[in-house]
Amino acid sequence: MKTISENRCFGGVQGVYSHPSQATGTEMTFGLFLPEGAEEGPVPVLWYLSGLTCTHENAMTKAGAQAWAAEAGIALVFPDTSPRGEGVANDDAYDLGQGAGFYVNATQNPWAPHFRMWDYVTDELPSLLFGAFPLAEGAQAITGHSMGGHGALTIAMSFPGRFRSVSAFAPICNPTGSDWGRKQFSAYLGPDEAAWAAHDSSLLMKKYGFDGPMLIDQGTADQFIDLLKPEALASAMAERRQGGTLRMQKGYDHSYYFVQTFMPDHIAFHSEALRG
Amino acid sequence: MKTISENRCFGGVQGVYSHPSQATGTEMTFGLFLPEGAEEGPVPVLWYLSGLTCTHENAMTKAGAQAWAAEAGIALVFPDTSPRGEGVANDDAYDLGQGAGFYVNATQNPWAPHFRMWDYVTDELPSLLFGAFPLAEGAQAITGHSMGGHGALTIAMSFPGRFRSVSAFAPICNPTGSDWGRKQFSAYLGPDEAAWAAHDSSLLMKKYGFDGPMLIDQGTADQFIDLLKPEALASAMAERRQGGTLRMQKGYDHSYYFVQTFMPDHIAFHSEALRG
């Protein structure tokens, strides 16, 4: 593992690190914020999964999460959203290929060799992090924005017991029924839609739900809301009788201004679950 | 208007009054809590509509609202849920007839002569209250529980501009698709389902929405949740891009223990809208 940078930040350290990944077969970069208390022993961890076009860096610099995480004594992990580099397949569209891994393991070419973000985020990166940093494996929570909200929700429901709480900012809620999803799942997973269901949070909600608190924020003026389909998840949560809160935030769009506005609430929400 | 009782309560007065109603053709009773500041000038008002089997009294004694309303300087109105008395039609079932007015104007016999709770709550009682008590007509909000949540939501959406905010505890969300609704609308409104749509908050949400903040709490262990159909309203709110919060409260049932637990949040929510 290489240290790319470490900066003092709210009394803790915002680091950026890279490492060769077995899952993706590429060098992967991630951000990690460690709060002040981390020198004295393992701290709880909040995973933040980013959206389309993002690297590890966008949320790290624009989500305004470190201030509140520092106060709450929580670490933040910012993984990248796809493998990158020469020799890694790509597409001219912003929503397929590099920057658009969708948190799945691709089974179709040309994506299959490197686009294994599910394994990377759920298996390889956790092993690396809990081995190398003072992070409490028993106190994890997960959140994300847009495609990253999709990742957070699907991963949380697929690993019962791993995350104490899950939240999402404007998540892609029903990718099997949206152009943000159908296109990518066709490309990465192939035409058999049965394989897609494991990566659709509205379908997972109906089938499994999440055993812990859940918080979703969605802006009503989100320019991508027709692609996000919050109504599918809203309905599924209510049908499932899932404990959780869905907030339709009037006038907010899809940007990081929206994310940073409600970040204090999300950190407080996870902090309560992680400290409980 | 007759004063039935007045009790000092959190520095204000909890009163119970009755009056002959033109809308229902009966004597109607209501509760009104006036906070301490009311002597000095009109105070904001929060309407609380009650559920099946309730009179004006249940929420007044069991919802625990006065403590928070006193702190916030807000008046509370507790109307009855139906006309009552000899000569008023009734049914052996708890969910039809007296105690089960459903906040509609009945057009069918034997209900039509007296069961006009829509007119009573939206027209006659407001006129009487704003004429007789120091209440600010320009600062109204509305909430309710179960059948009363249905009433609060449908009334709020049917009188744009009248209520600054609306909330509900475990509302009947989709009566046109539930045994809590179809039975009563058949009886009160007749077989033409077109007349029912104006009294279904999920249908009104899709068509009109609400121009103000909205808060819904629903217990996940609510024994009546299959009749309440929160999924219909959840989906309609998200589809409409309605600003608002829906909280699925884990482990809570349909009782006043649930209502009183989240009452402080609802009063704070309305207080913000009423004072803004």
Side-chain angles (χ1 to χ4, degrees):
Chain A
M1 192 165 59
K2 279 192 294 194
T3 299
I4 311 278
S5 62
E6 286 185 333
N7 297 85
R8 180 67 61 187
C9 179
F10 291 101
V13 176
Q14 177 61 62
V16 176
Y17 310 91
S18 79
H19 65 104
S21 161
Q22 287 209 314
T24 66
T26 64
E27 186 80 5
M28 291 295 289
T29 304
F30 65 91
L32 173 67
F33 171 74
L34 284 177
E36 202 169 3
E39 308 98 53
E40 288 145 38
V43 291
V45 194
L46 175 60
W47 291 78
Y48 182 103
L49 303 187
S50 287
L52 288 167
T53 77
C54 291
T55 67
H56 67 282
E57 197 179 9
N58 299 64
M60 217 178 80
T61 57
K62 298 196 294 181
Q66 291 92 338
W68 316 105
E71 209 172 276
I74 293 173
L76 300 167
V77 185
F78 303 100
D80 201 347
T81 61
S82 79
R84 297 176 189 276
E86 285 180 36
V88 176
N90 204 0
D91 190 278
D92 285 340
Y94 74 98
D95 61 358
L96 190 66
Q98 298 187 30
F102 260 80
Y103 306 100
V104 301
N105 291 333
T107 57
Q108 310 294 305
N109 283 326
W111 313 106
H114 300 293
F115 282 76
R116 301 186 62 81
M117 289 303 291
W118 181 266
D119 280 357
Y120 176 69
V121 166
T122 68
D123 184 12
E124 185 177 27
L125 185 56
S127 296
L128 184 148
L129 288 173
F130 292 113
F133 296 99
L135 303 171
E137 192 164 0
Q140 297 183 64
I142 190 164
T143 187
H145 175 222
S146 194
M147 177 183 74
H150 143 77
L153 291 165
T154 53
I155 288 170
M157 287 188 270
S158 301
F159 291 89
R162 181 182 294 192
F163 300 97
R164 296 218 195 143
S165 48
V166 63
S167 77
F169 299 85
I172 299 176
C173 293
N174 188 205
T176 64
S178 166
D179 286 343
W180 272 357
R182 297 190 63 81
K183 171 184 175 177
Q184 295 80 2
F185 290 178
S186 298
Y188 298 146
L189 304 176
D192 179 6
E193 296 194 20
W196 303 3
H199 297 285
D200 184 302
S201 61
S202 296
L203 300 179
L204 289 170
M205 176 52 64
K206 283 189 194 175
K207 208 162 167 189
Y208 304 111
F210 176 72
D211 185 20
M214 181 173 268
L215 172 63
I216 314 285
D217 273 313
Q218 170 62 57
T220 63
D222 189 316
Q223 58 272 48
F224 301 111
I225 196 166
D226 292 341
L227 293 161
L228 301 171
K229 301 203 175 295
E231 59 275 16
L233 184 61
S235 172
M237 284 176 70
E239 265 178 61
R240 175 89 198 162
R241 319 318 185 193
Q242 168 72 46
T245 295
L246 170 65
R247 306 192 300 188
M248 297 287 291
Q249 301 286 11
K250 192 167 178 180
Y252 285 89
D253 62 24
H254 199 68
S255 70
Y256 274 95
Y257 296 109
F258 157 71
V259 173
Q260 66 185 225
T261 299
F262 300 105
M263 185 57 77
D265 292 356
H266 284 244
I267 301 272
F269 162 80
H270 289 295
S271 179
E272 197 184 324
L274 289 167
R275 298 283 169 193
Chain B
M1 191 166 56
K2 280 192 295 193
T3 299
I4 311 277
S5 62
E6 287 184 333
N7 297 84
R8 181 66 62 185
C9 179
F10 291 102
V13 176
Q14 176 62 62
V16 177
Y17 310 91
S18 79
H19 65 105
S21 162
Q22 287 210 315
T24 66
T26 64
E27 186 79 4
M28 291 294 290
T29 304
F30 64 91
L32 173 68
F33 171 74
L34 283 176
E36 202 168 3
E39 308 100 50
E40 289 146 38
V43 292
V45 195
L46 176 60
W47 291 79
Y48 182 104
L49 303 186
S50 286
L52 289 166
T53 77
C54 291
T55 68
H56 67 283
E57 197 179 9
N58 300 63
M60 217 179 79
T61 58
K62 296 195 295 180
Q66 292 93 338
W68 315 105
E71 212 174 274
I74 293 172
L76 301 167
V77 185
F78 303 99
D80 201 348
T81 61
S82 79
R84 295 177 190 277
E86 287 180 33
V88 175
N90 204 1
D91 190 278
D92 286 340
Y94 75 98
D95 61 358
L96 190 67
Q98 297 186 31
F102 259 80
Y103 306 100
V104 301
N105 290 334
T107 57
Q108 309 293 304
N109 284 326
W111 313 106
H114 299 293
F115 282 77
R116 301 186 62 79
M117 289 302 292
W118 181 266
D119 280 357
Y120 176 69
V121 166
T122 68
D123 183 14
E124 185 177 27
L125 186 55
S127 295
L128 185 148
L129 288 174
F130 292 113
F133 296 98
L135 302 171
E137 193 164 0
Q140 297 183 65
I142 191 164
T143 187
H145 175 221
S146 196
M147 177 183 74
H150 144 76
L153 291 166
T154 54
I155 289 170
M157 286 187 272
S158 300
F159 291 90
R162 182 182 295 192
F163 301 97
R164 297 217 196 143
S165 48
V166 62
S167 76
F169 300 85
I172 299 177
C173 293
N174 187 205
T176 65
S178 167
D179 286 344
W180 271 0
R182 298 191 62 81
K183 171 184 176 177
Q184 294 82 0
F185 290 176
S186 298
Y188 298 146
L189 305 175
D192 178 6
E193 297 194 20
W196 302 3
H199 297 285
D200 184 302
S201 61
S202 295
L203 300 179
L204 290 171
M205 175 53 65
K206 282 188 195 176
K207 208 163 165 186
Y208 304 112
F210 176 72
D211 185 20
M214 180 173 268
L215 171 64
I216 315 285
D217 272 314
Q218 170 61 57
T220 63
D222 189 317
Q223 57 272 48
F224 302 112
I225 197 165
D226 292 341
L227 294 161
L228 301 171
K229 301 206 175 293
E231 59 276 14
L233 184 60
S235 172
M237 284 176 71
E239 265 178 61
R240 176 87 197 163
R241 320 316 187 195
Q242 168 72 47
T245 295
L246 170 65
R247 305 191 301 188
M248 296 287 291
Q249 301 285 10
K250 193 168 181 181
Y252 284 89
D253 61 25
H254 199 67
S255 69
Y256 275 97
Y257 296 110
F258 157 71
V259 173
Q260 66 186 223
T261 299
F262 300 106
M263 186 57 79
D265 292 354
H266 284 244
I267 302 272
F269 162 79
H270 288 296
S271 179
E272 197 185 325
L274 289 167
R275 297 284 171 192

